[in-house]
Amino acid sequence: MKALILVGGYGTRLRPLTLSCAKPLVEFGNKPMLLHQLEALVEAGVTHIVLAVSYRADQMEQELKNVEKKLGVKIIISLESEPLGTAGPLALAKEHLNKDNEPFFVLNSDVICDFPFKQMVEFHKHHGKEGTIMVTKVDEPSKYGVVIYDAENGRIQQFVEKPQEYVSNKINAGMYIFNPSILNRISLKPTSIEKDVFPFMASDSELYAMELQGFWMDVGQPKDFLTGMCMYLGSLRQKSPDQLHSGEGTVGNVLVDPSAKIGKNCRIGPNVTIGPDVVIEDGVCVKRCTILKGATIKSHSWIESCIIGWKCVLGRWVRMENVSVLGEDVTVKDELYINGGRILPHKSIGTSVPEPQIIM
C-alpha cells in the first residue's frame, strides 16, 4: 500500500519552534511528530510514502534518509512550487499514487492518535466505495466542519461548516483512504479536498465515515500540542507503561529520555516529556510540559504548561506558565516570571514577561 502525508505549510501556528525546525520534525513524545505516523503506516503494511512538502524540503530529506533505512520503507518528497491546499498535492503526486489500482492513505501531518490503519483498510474494502474518512467526536463541534452520516453503514450525507446549532459532534479527523479513481476529480491547482472534493463524493454516495476509537488531537499549535501530549502519555500508560518513567519525585505520566539528568528533590509530572541530554537541577518542579533536547533548567525553577525549546537555559528560581514557548537556544535569567510568553530563538531574557506576548 501507499500513503501521502500533507506536510505542506510553514507551521506558523507552532512558532517559535518552527523557526528552527520543520513542523513535522518537531519532537512530540520524544520523537519527530511525523515519525508517529510513519511507524503506524509501516506497521499497517504501507511500503511507499509520499510527503507533500512546500517548505524546508532539504531539512526533511536529510532526516528521512535515516528513517527510510530504519523502517524499510520508500519515502518520496513531492515538492510544491506553490502551496496546493489539501487536494492539489494528490494531483501533483498522481504518478506515484496511480501506479496500481490499490487504495492509498492520505493524512494531515499534525494529527496524533492511536492510528487504526489496519481497521481503516478493512472498513474501506468492506463498503467498496471511493473514499473513507476517519471521524472523531469533539466537545465543541462549532469550531470545526461537522460530518453527518448514516450511523448504520457510515455513508456520508453532508458536511456542515462550523454549525451554530447542534447537528452532530463528529468531525473530520484528517485521515483518509481513497481509491485511485479520486484522482479524476482533482486538477493540479490549489484546491481544498474538504470543500471542493468531498461534498461531490458524498452526493455520489462514494464517501463513508469510520469513527475513531480512543484519543485524537491536532497538535499544530502550542496549547493543543500540550493537550495532545497529555492524551498520548495517557495512552502509553494503558498500552506500554514500561516506557514511562518512575522514580523519586515522579508524579503521574512522565516520559524521560535515558540520557536526561534529573537532580535531587525535584517534582516531575504529571504529564511531562523530557528529551535527550536535558539537565534538570535540584529542587525543580515541572508539570504538563515538553522539554526538548539539550535544555537546562537550573535549581528551584517552577514551570507548568510550557514548551522549552532545544538548548534553552532557564536560570534559578524562574517561574514560567500559561503556555509559554521558548524557541531554540533561549536564555532566561535568574528569578524571572514568564506568563504566556512566546520567545523567538537565540534571545536572552533579562526582565519578567508578566502578560502574554511575543518577544522578538
Side-chain angles (χ1 to χ4, degrees):
M1 277 192 82
K2 297 174 295 298
L4 177 125
I5 304 180
L6 298 163
V7 175
Y10 295 109
T12 43
R13 295 182 305 152
L14 202 55
R15 284 179 180 166
L17 299 172
T18 46
L19 295 169
S20 303
C21 178
K23 182 176 58 179
L25 302 179
V26 172
E27 294 92 339
F28 176 92
N30 279 353
K31 59 185 169 192
M33 227 183 263
L34 185 64
L35 193 53
H36 293 270
Q37 293 188 341
L38 294 176
E39 288 176 348
L41 286 168
V42 169
E43 200 182 315
V46 170
T47 52
H48 284 72
I49 296 170
V50 180
L51 297 184
V53 182
S54 61
Y55 174 64
R56 287 188 185 269
D58 300 348
Q59 193 183 19
M60 300 278 292
E61 215 156 1
Q62 284 306 108
E63 192 67 30
L64 291 165
K65 282 198 170 73
N66 310 329
V67 174
E68 269 191 320
K69 283 198 192 91
K70 192 176 139 198
L71 297 180
V73 63
K74 178 91 180 123
I75 300 176
I76 297 154
I77 300 241
S78 174
L79 186 59
E80 302 167 27
S81 53
E82 59 164 338
L84 289 171
T86 48
L90 277 74
L92 187 63
K94 189 171 183 173
E95 59 167 315
H96 301 299
L97 301 174
N98 224 351
K99 269 188 182 151
D100 47 39
N101 212 23
E102 286 299 305
F104 54 85
F105 288 100
V106 174
L107 312 179
N108 288 344
S109 66
D110 294 352
V111 168
I112 204 84
C113 65
D114 292 327
F115 301 104
F117 293 140
K118 286 179 182 159
Q119 296 90 312
M120 267 185 98
V121 173
E122 281 168 25
F123 177 81
H124 182 75
K125 290 193 168 164
H126 177 72
H127 68 68
K129 298 293 183 179
E130 195 168 62
T132 298
I133 295 183
M134 186 64 83
V135 296
T136 186
K137 218 186 283 182
V138 289
D139 295 335
E140 284 184 70
S142 61
K143 289 180 9 190
Y144 302 93
V146 170
V147 185
I148 296 172
Y149 60 94
D150 183 328
E152 280 181 26
N153 61 17
R155 187 174 71 78
I156 293 176
Q157 290 141 354
Q158 62 167 331
F159 297 87
V160 181
E161 193 54 42
K162 298 187 177 166
Q164 291 317 296
E165 288 177 16
Y166 182 87
V167 286
S168 162
N169 61 355
K170 308 291 195 315
I171 67 159
N172 174 352
M175 296 179 279
Y176 322 121
I177 295 187
F178 302 126
N179 293 344
S181 57
I182 192 180
L183 298 167
N184 302 327
R185 296 177 183 267
I186 302 168
S187 39
L188 183 51
K189 61 181 187 192
T191 318
S192 159
I193 202 164
E194 298 85 358
K195 294 189 176 110
D196 304 325
V197 182
F198 288 167
F200 298 99
M201 290 173 75
S203 67
D204 294 342
S205 300
E206 287 289 342
L207 196 55
Y208 279 65
M210 175 182 172
E211 193 180 334
L212 178 67
Q213 304 305 312
F215 81 99
W216 175 90
M217 200 71 207
D218 172 337
V219 294
Q221 53 190 344
K223 178 172 71 74
D224 297 337
F225 184 100
L226 290 170
T227 303
M229 175 198 68
C230 299
M231 293 173 167
Y232 172 71
L233 293 176
S235 170
L236 272 187
R237 169 67 67 197
Q238 290 174 338
K239 293 185 159 183
S240 324
D242 52 310
Q243 288 185 32
L244 294 171
H245 183 72
S246 57
E248 201 186 337
T250 302
V251 183
N253 299 332
V254 175
L255 188 63
V256 180
D257 186 272
S259 63
K261 293 182 172 60
I262 299 174
K264 298 188 196 74
N265 304 319
C266 290
R267 180 200 150 106
I268 309 291
N271 296 313
V272 171
T273 301
I274 295 175
D277 307 320
V278 167
V279 176
I280 294 179
E281 293 186 357
D282 299 348
V284 167
C285 176
V286 186
K287 299 187 239 183
R288 202 173 180 272
C289 289
T290 285
I291 302 173
L292 296 172
K293 181 176 180 167
T296 298
I297 297 173
K298 295 196 173 172
S299 53
H300 306 294
S301 282
W302 186 99
I303 56 171
E304 180 171 9
S305 292
C306 296
I307 305 174
I308 309 297
W310 310 271
K311 303 195 286 278
C312 287
V313 178
L314 261 66
R316 294 173 183 81
W317 298 98
V318 167
R319 182 181 175 111
M320 269 181 67
E321 60 188 345
N322 190 19
V323 198
S324 292
V325 185
L326 304 186
E328 181 183 15
D329 177 40
V330 168
T331 301
V332 177
K333 299 287 173 64
D334 294 352
E335 298 179 25
L336 295 183
Y337 173 54
I338 311 273
N339 171 27
R342 304 283 164 94
I343 300 172
L344 269 62
H346 314 298
K347 291 273 160 212
S348 180
I349 301 298
T351 53
S352 289
V353 181
E355 296 295 327
Q357 58 178 286
I358 295 167
I359 299 193
M360 299 175 80

